[in-house]
Amino acid sequence: CGLRQVTFRAMTRPSRFEHVRYLGDKRTQVVYDLDEPTLDPTIVDELMASEQFLCFGPDSLTEARNRGYRPHRSIRDAARDED
């Protein structure tokens, strides 16, 4: 019937960012969507270890773009899949 099975893995959010969706990397000016199931958790772990991150207020992709951040590949791929 054309249905396919999709498996999602749960990613644990960093404890200080439980209520944040978008997290930016100051070194590369890339924003990550913590709700995106295809985001590699090691990216977020490395970002937290570097302490070179920030969250946006309001917590939106538009705000991240206004600050000069560009979406990570996982966000772009998800947007393309929705089209």
Side-chain angles (χ1 to χ4, degrees), residues 40-72:
D40 183 354
T42 59
I43 293 173
V44 177
D45 293 342
E46 191 280 326
L47 185 55
M48 292 291 105
S50 76
E51 297 184 357
Q52 295 295 311
F53 53 84
L54 78 153
C55 58
F56 304 96
D59 187 25
S60 69
L61 188 54
T62 301
E63 181 59 27
R65 285 183 172 144
N66 286 343
R67 294 187 189 193
Y69 283 75
R70 52 189 202 288
H72 181 257

Side-chain angles (χ1 to χ4, degrees), residues 24-39:
D25 186 334
K26 293 179 182 179
R27 303 166 296 180
T28 59
Q29 295 291 106
V30 171
V31 62
Y32 300 95
D33 181 351
L34 299 180
D35 287 347
E36 177 55 51
T38 61
L39 179 61

